[in-house]
Amino acid sequence: MAHRIITNEIHVGKPLPWNVFDAGGVLLLRRGVVITSQHALDRLIEEGIYLDEQDSQGLGRSGPAAVAEPEKPSALQLVTDARRLFGTLLNELRSVSDFPARIRRIALLVDLACQTNPEVALATILLLQDDSYAVRHHLNTAIMANLLCRAMALPDEQAQAVLAAALTMNASMYEVQDKLNDVKGPLNDKLRALIASHPEQSEQRLRQLGVADALWLRCVAQHHECENGAGYPGHLTGDAIEQGAKIIGLADRYCAQVSNRHYHPARAPGIVLKELYAEKGAEIDTTVAAHLVRVVGIYPPGTIVRLKNGEVAVVVAPTDNADSPLACAVLGANRIAFTVPAMRKTIKSDFKITEVMTLDKIDFPIQMSRIWGDAARIG
C-alpha cells in the first residue's frame, strides 16, 4: 500500500472518501463508510489502514485530494464484507499475526451494518444461509449480540468486547465446526468432550492469538453458563456470569435454531422464542430474554410467510402490532414470481399471515435488494 492513513485524514461522523486496506492489501472498509466512534477510529489508525496506489496519487502535505461525497455502503454490503473478512481469517488462522486487530475490524463492520439498517442486518440471519456454518453462525450471533447490546444501552467499550467475543466464542473449534455441522446421528465421546471443553479451550486459544482484553476473554469462557447453574464449564449462576456472556449465550442459541443445519432444518423464529421461554426459562436471564423478544419479535425481518390470499411474502419491518408486520409479497398464489415485489400490510384481512416458512422449503431465490432496495444493494 502506498500511503498509511493518519489521524487528521479521517473524521468521526464523516464518510470515508476512499476504500481503505490493511498492510497486505485486503479491503477493510469501503468508500462511504461512516465511523461513528472515536474509539473505533483510534483503534483502526493505531493498527494501520492504507490507501491503494491510485488513491494515493496526488497526495500533498494536506493529505489526499478532495473527492465528491461518496455513496454509503448498504447494510447488506457491510455484512457481506464482514463475512468475507471472517472467512479469510479462518483460512489463515495458523499463520495470522494480528488476530485481535482483524477481529475488531470485522466487529466494526457488523456494528456499522446494525447502525445502517437493523432490519436488513437481522434479515441476513434468516436469508443468507449459503456460507459455511462456521462463518455464518459467528456473524449471525455477532449481529444479534450487537443489537441486544444496543437495546440494553451497554457502554461502547463493553459492547465492543461483547461483539468481539461473539465472533470468537468457538475459537477452539473454528477448524472443525463445519465438520460437526455435517455429523448425522449421536455424537461420539470424543466430539462430546470437544464441545464440553470448548469455552475454556477457546479462551486459551485467544490468549495464544494475542487477545488481552479481560472482558472479551471472560465472555468467551462463560458463554455457555446458565442462570440456574445448569451450564458449563463452571456451573456459575446469576450475577457470577458476565452480562455480555449472557447476551452471547442467548444469541448463540437463537441463531443456531433459526439456521439451517445438516442435522436439523431451520425453525420458525416465533417457535424458537416460545421454546426458549417455555423450556429454557430457568436457564436464561429474564432481562436479556425480554430484550431479545423486543429486538426480533414474532416475525423478525427476513421471515418468509404465506398470506391468507396464497401469496408468499418476506417480512420487511415490524409495526406497532407485533403479529402484523409489514411484508413484501414475492410469489403470487399462482406460484409465479412478482416482477416487482408488492408491499403488504398484514393487519389487513386478505394479507393475514397464515404460515411461517423456512428458506430450505423455498424453491426460488430471494433477492434482498428487490425487497429492501438500496439498503440491500451490493457493489
Side-chain angles (χ1 to χ4, degrees), residues 327-354:
C328 190
V330 294
L331 193 70
N334 57 3
R335 301 293 297 167
I336 297 176
F338 284 93
T339 304
V340 178
M343 283 295 173
R344 303 299 190 215
K345 294 180 179 179
T346 64
I347 197 170
K348 293 185 175 182
S349 177
D350 286 349
F351 304 140
K352 288 284 186 184
I353 294 173
T354 60

mmCIF file of all heavy atoms in Angstrom, residues 327-354:
data_model
loop_
_atom_site.group_PDB
_atom_site.id
_atom_site.type_symbol
_atom_site.label_atom_id
_atom_site.label_comp_id
_atom_site.label_asym_id
_atom_site.label_seq_id
_atom_site.Cartn_x
_atom_site.Cartn_y
_atom_site.Cartn_z
ATOM 1 N N ALA A 327 -44.870 -6.665 5.184
ATOM 2 C CA ALA A 327 -44.246 -7.738 4.401
ATOM 3 C C ALA A 327 -44.234 -7.364 2.928
ATOM 4 O O ALA A 327 -44.954 -6.468 2.486
ATOM 5 C CB ALA A 327 -44.996 -9.053 4.608
ATOM 6 N N CYS A 328 -43.414 -8.062 2.181
ATOM 7 C CA CYS A 328 -43.266 -7.816 0.748
ATOM 8 C C CYS A 328 -43.561 -9.120 0.011
ATOM 9 O O CYS A 328 -42.823 -10.106 0.157
ATOM 10 C CB CYS A 328 -41.851 -7.336 0.458
ATOM 11 S SG CYS A 328 -41.608 -6.715 -1.202
ATOM 12 N N ALA A 329 -44.638 -9.157 -0.753
ATOM 13 C CA ALA A 329 -45.020 -10.364 -1.490
ATOM 14 C C ALA A 329 -44.076 -10.573 -2.669
ATOM 15 O O ALA A 329 -43.855 -9.671 -3.470
ATOM 16 C CB ALA A 329 -46.457 -10.250 -1.979
ATOM 17 N N VAL A 330 -43.508 -11.784 -2.746
ATOM 18 C CA VAL A 330 -42.554 -12.090 -3.812
ATOM 19 C C VAL A 330 -43.063 -13.165 -4.760
ATOM 20 O O VAL A 330 -42.535 -13.339 -5.862
ATOM 21 C CB VAL A 330 -41.186 -12.513 -3.230
ATOM 22 C CG1 VAL A 330 -40.538 -11.348 -2.491
ATOM 23 C CG2 VAL A 330 -41.345 -13.721 -2.299
ATOM 24 N N LEU A 331 -44.087 -13.908 -4.323
ATOM 25 C CA LEU A 331 -44.622 -15.003 -5.130
ATOM 26 C C LEU A 331 -46.145 -14.982 -5.035
ATOM 27 O O LEU A 331 -46.699 -14.935 -3.936
ATOM 28 C CB LEU A 331 -44.084 -16.342 -4.623
ATOM 29 C CG LEU A 331 -44.277 -17.569 -5.515
ATOM 30 C CD1 LEU A 331 -43.388 -17.482 -6.756
ATOM 31 C CD2 LEU A 331 -43.981 -18.845 -4.739
ATOM 32 N N GLY A 332 -46.813 -15.019 -6.195
ATOM 33 C CA GLY A 332 -48.261 -14.982 -6.201
ATOM 34 C C GLY A 332 -48.875 -16.316 -5.829
ATOM 35 O O GLY A 332 -48.194 -17.346 -5.762
ATOM 36 N N ALA A 333 -50.164 -16.293 -5.592
ATOM 37 C CA ALA A 333 -50.876 -17.526 -5.271
ATOM 38 C C ALA A 333 -50.796 -18.527 -6.414
ATOM 39 O O ALA A 333 -50.950 -19.736 -6.205
ATOM 40 C CB ALA A 333 -52.332 -17.201 -4.946
ATOM 41 N N ASN A 334 -50.531 -18.033 -7.616
ATOM 42 C CA ASN A 334 -50.397 -18.894 -8.806
ATOM 43 C C ASN A 334 -48.987 -19.454 -8.966
ATOM 44 O O ASN A 334 -48.669 -20.063 -9.982
ATOM 45 C CB ASN A 334 -50.793 -18.119 -10.055
ATOM 46 C CG ASN A 334 -49.964 -16.851 -10.241
ATOM 47 O OD1 ASN A 334 -49.056 -16.572 -9.454
ATOM 48 N ND2 ASN A 334 -50.284 -16.076 -11.265
ATOM 49 N N ARG A 335 -48.118 -19.216 -7.938
ATOM 50 C CA ARG A 335 -46.720 -19.694 -7.932
ATOM 51 C C ARG A 335 -45.848 -18.992 -8.956
ATOM 52 O O ARG A 335 -44.767 -19.461 -9.285
ATOM 53 C CB ARG A 335 -46.647 -21.219 -8.162
ATOM 54 C CG ARG A 335 -47.380 -22.059 -7.146
ATOM 55 C CD ARG A 335 -46.732 -21.977 -5.784
ATOM 56 N NE ARG A 335 -45.365 -22.507 -5.817
ATOM 57 C CZ ARG A 335 -44.470 -22.338 -4.838
ATOM 58 N NH1 ARG A 335 -44.794 -21.630 -3.782
ATOM 59 N NH2 ARG A 335 -43.266 -22.862 -4.930
ATOM 60 N N ILE A 336 -46.296 -17.858 -9.451
ATOM 61 C CA ILE A 336 -45.496 -17.055 -10.370
ATOM 62 C C ILE A 336 -44.901 -15.889 -9.595
ATOM 63 O O ILE A 336 -45.611 -15.178 -8.873
ATOM 64 C CB ILE A 336 -46.338 -16.536 -11.552
ATOM 65 C CG1 ILE A 336 -46.855 -17.718 -12.383
ATOM 66 C CG2 ILE A 336 -45.529 -15.580 -12.429
ATOM 67 C CD1 ILE A 336 -47.777 -17.319 -13.515
ATOM 68 N N ALA A 337 -43.591 -15.697 -9.731
ATOM 69 C CA ALA A 337 -42.901 -14.630 -9.003
ATOM 70 C C ALA A 337 -43.338 -13.260 -9.498
ATOM 71 O O ALA A 337 -43.561 -13.061 -10.699
ATOM 72 C CB ALA A 337 -41.396 -14.786 -9.148
ATOM 73 N N PHE A 338 -43.470 -12.313 -8.569
ATOM 74 C CA PHE A 338 -43.789 -10.937 -8.934
ATOM 75 C C PHE A 338 -42.594 -10.306 -9.639
ATOM 76 O O PHE A 338 -41.451 -10.448 -9.189
ATOM 77 C CB PHE A 338 -44.116 -10.113 -7.689
ATOM 78 C CG PHE A 338 -45.467 -10.368 -7.108
ATOM 79 C CD1 PHE A 338 -45.632 -11.312 -6.105
ATOM 80 C CD2 PHE A 338 -46.583 -9.685 -7.560
ATOM 81 C CE1 PHE A 338 -46.875 -11.557 -5.554
ATOM 82 C CE2 PHE A 338 -47.834 -9.916 -7.013
ATOM 83 C CZ PHE A 338 -47.982 -10.856 -6.017
ATOM 84 N N THR A 339 -42.862 -9.603 -10.740
ATOM 85 C CA THR A 339 -41.804 -8.846 -11.399
ATOM 86 C C THR A 339 -41.288 -7.764 -10.468
ATOM 87 O O THR A 339 -40.078 -7.536 -10.338
ATOM 88 C CB THR A 339 -42.311 -8.222 -12.703
ATOM 89 O OG1 THR A 339 -42.843 -9.257 -13.536
ATOM 90 C CG2 THR A 339 -41.192 -7.488 -13.432
ATOM 91 N N VAL A 340 -42.205 -7.096 -9.799
ATOM 92 C CA VAL A 340 -41.878 -6.098 -8.782
ATOM 93 C C VAL A 340 -42.573 -6.533 -7.491
ATOM 94 O O VAL A 340 -43.806 -6.593 -7.449
ATOM 95 C CB VAL A 340 -42.352 -4.685 -9.188
ATOM 96 C CG1 VAL A 340 -42.026 -3.691 -8.082
ATOM 97 C CG2 VAL A 340 -41.709 -4.262 -10.498
ATOM 98 N N PRO A 341 -41.828 -6.878 -6.449
ATOM 99 C CA PRO A 341 -42.453 -7.297 -5.188
ATOM 100 C C PRO A 341 -43.445 -6.245 -4.692
ATOM 101 O O PRO A 341 -43.235 -5.034 -4.867
ATOM 102 C CB PRO A 341 -41.265 -7.440 -4.243
ATOM 103 C CG PRO A 341 -40.106 -7.742 -5.144
ATOM 104 C CD PRO A 341 -40.361 -6.925 -6.383
ATOM 105 N N ALA A 342 -44.526 -6.715 -4.073
ATOM 106 C CA ALA A 342 -45.599 -5.824 -3.642
ATOM 107 C C ALA A 342 -45.679 -5.754 -2.122
ATOM 108 O O ALA A 342 -45.716 -6.789 -1.446
ATOM 109 C CB ALA A 342 -46.932 -6.317 -4.212
ATOM 110 N N MET A 343 -45.695 -4.536 -1.574
ATOM 111 C CA MET A 343 -45.803 -4.359 -0.129
ATOM 112 C C MET A 343 -47.186 -4.783 0.362
ATOM 113 O O MET A 343 -48.201 -4.490 -0.273
ATOM 114 C CB MET A 343 -45.537 -2.905 0.260
ATOM 115 C CG MET A 343 -44.070 -2.535 0.257
ATOM 116 S SD MET A 343 -43.154 -3.454 1.510
ATOM 117 C CE MET A 343 -41.472 -2.951 1.102
ATOM 118 N N ARG A 344 -47.217 -5.465 1.492
ATOM 119 C CA ARG A 344 -48.461 -5.928 2.089
ATOM 120 C C ARG A 344 -48.490 -5.560 3.576
ATOM 121 O O ARG A 344 -47.543 -5.835 4.307
ATOM 122 C CB ARG A 344 -48.598 -7.453 1.959
ATOM 123 C CG ARG A 344 -48.537 -7.997 0.542
ATOM 124 C CD ARG A 344 -49.641 -7.462 -0.316
ATOM 125 N NE ARG A 344 -49.749 -8.145 -1.601
ATOM 126 C CZ ARG A 344 -50.097 -7.538 -2.723
ATOM 127 N NH1 ARG A 344 -50.362 -6.235 -2.731
ATOM 128 N NH2 ARG A 344 -50.194 -8.238 -3.846
ATOM 129 N N LYS A 345 -49.610 -4.954 3.985
ATOM 130 C CA LYS A 345 -49.843 -4.696 5.407
ATOM 131 C C LYS A 345 -50.600 -5.899 5.962
ATOM 132 O O LYS A 345 -51.787 -6.088 5.671
ATOM 133 C CB LYS A 345 -50.645 -3.411 5.583
ATOM 134 C CG LYS A 345 -49.903 -2.160 5.140
ATOM 135 C CD LYS A 345 -50.752 -0.909 5.342
ATOM 136 C CE LYS A 345 -49.990 0.342 4.916
ATOM 137 N NZ LYS A 345 -50.812 1.574 5.088
ATOM 138 N N THR A 346 -49.912 -6.710 6.745
ATOM 139 C CA THR A 346 -50.510 -7.979 7.172
ATOM 140 C C THR A 346 -51.608 -7.804 8.210
ATOM 141 O O THR A 346 -52.228 -8.789 8.612
ATOM 142 C CB THR A 346 -49.430 -8.945 7.700
ATOM 143 O OG1 THR A 346 -48.819 -8.382 8.875
ATOM 144 C CG2 THR A 346 -48.365 -9.209 6.645
ATOM 145 N N ILE A 347 -51.864 -6.571 8.633
ATOM 146 C CA ILE A 347 -53.003 -6.335 9.522
ATOM 147 C C ILE A 347 -54.315 -6.427 8.751
ATOM 148 O O ILE A 347 -55.380 -6.642 9.327
ATOM 149 C CB ILE A 347 -52.868 -4.960 10.224
ATOM 150 C CG1 ILE A 347 -53.794 -4.904 11.438
ATOM 151 C CG2 ILE A 347 -53.116 -3.817 9.245
ATOM 152 C CD1 ILE A 347 -53.557 -3.698 12.332
ATOM 153 N N LYS A 348 -54.256 -6.292 7.404
ATOM 154 C CA LYS A 348 -55.452 -6.371 6.578
ATOM 155 C C LYS A 348 -55.867 -7.829 6.403
ATOM 156 O O LYS A 348 -55.024 -8.728 6.307
ATOM 157 C CB LYS A 348 -55.201 -5.718 5.220
ATOM 158 C CG LYS A 348 -54.988 -4.205 5.312
ATOM 159 C CD LYS A 348 -54.870 -3.575 3.933
ATOM 160 C CE LYS A 348 -54.769 -2.054 4.040
ATOM 161 N NZ LYS A 348 -54.690 -1.418 2.696
ATOM 162 N N SER A 349 -57.158 -8.041 6.302
ATOM 163 C CA SER A 349 -57.718 -9.393 6.299
ATOM 164 C C SER A 349 -57.130 -10.282 5.213
ATOM 165 O O SER A 349 -56.728 -11.420 5.480
ATOM 166 C CB SER A 349 -59.242 -9.317 6.140
ATOM 167 O OG SER A 349 -59.798 -10.603 6.071
ATOM 168 N N ASP A 350 -57.049 -9.795 3.981
ATOM 169 C CA ASP A 350 -56.561 -10.622 2.872
ATOM 170 C C ASP A 350 -55.083 -10.972 3.008
ATOM 171 O O ASP A 350 -54.617 -11.940 2.387
ATOM 172 C CB ASP A 350 -56.787 -9.917 1.529
ATOM 173 C CG ASP A 350 -58.241 -9.938 1.101
ATOM 174 O OD1 ASP A 350 -59.016 -10.673 1.727
ATOM 175 O OD2 ASP A 350 -58.591 -9.210 0.148
ATOM 176 N N PHE A 351 -54.368 -10.175 3.775
ATOM 177 C CA PHE A 351 -52.920 -10.353 3.876
ATOM 178 C C PHE A 351 -52.475 -10.895 5.233
ATOM 179 O O PHE A 351 -51.294 -10.819 5.579
ATOM 180 C CB PHE A 351 -52.200 -9.032 3.584
ATOM 181 C CG PHE A 351 -52.539 -8.412 2.258
ATOM 182 C CD1 PHE A 351 -52.712 -7.038 2.126
ATOM 183 C CD2 PHE A 351 -52.696 -9.209 1.127
ATOM 184 C CE1 PHE A 351 -53.026 -6.481 0.899
ATOM 185 C CE2 PHE A 351 -53.014 -8.644 -0.109
ATOM 186 C CZ PHE A 351 -53.180 -7.279 -0.223
ATOM 187 N N LYS A 352 -53.403 -11.436 5.990
ATOM 188 C CA LYS A 352 -53.038 -12.024 7.282
ATOM 189 C C LYS A 352 -52.030 -13.157 7.080
ATOM 190 O O LYS A 352 -52.090 -13.903 6.093
ATOM 191 C CB LYS A 352 -54.275 -12.593 7.975
ATOM 192 C CG LYS A 352 -55.240 -11.552 8.518
ATOM 193 C CD LYS A 352 -54.707 -10.932 9.793
ATOM 194 C CE LYS A 352 -55.755 -10.006 10.415
ATOM 195 N NZ LYS A 352 -55.207 -9.318 11.607
ATOM 196 N N ILE A 353 -51.114 -13.288 8.017
ATOM 197 C CA ILE A 353 -50.133 -14.373 7.960
ATOM 198 C C ILE A 353 -50.807 -15.667 8.407
ATOM 199 O O ILE A 353 -51.399 -15.733 9.487
ATOM 200 C CB ILE A 353 -48.917 -14.055 8.844
ATOM 201 C CG1 ILE A 353 -48.155 -12.846 8.285
ATOM 202 C CG2 ILE A 353 -47.989 -15.270 8.954
ATOM 203 C CD1 ILE A 353 -47.043 -12.346 9.183
ATOM 204 N N THR A 354 -50.696 -16.696 7.566
ATOM 205 C CA THR A 354 -51.297 -17.991 7.891
ATOM 206 C C THR A 354 -50.264 -19.076 8.163
ATOM 207 O O THR A 354 -50.580 -20.110 8.743
ATOM 208 C CB THR A 354 -52.214 -18.464 6.749
ATOM 209 O OG1 THR A 354 -51.443 -18.600 5.545
ATOM 210 C CG2 THR A 354 -53.347 -17.474 6.519
#
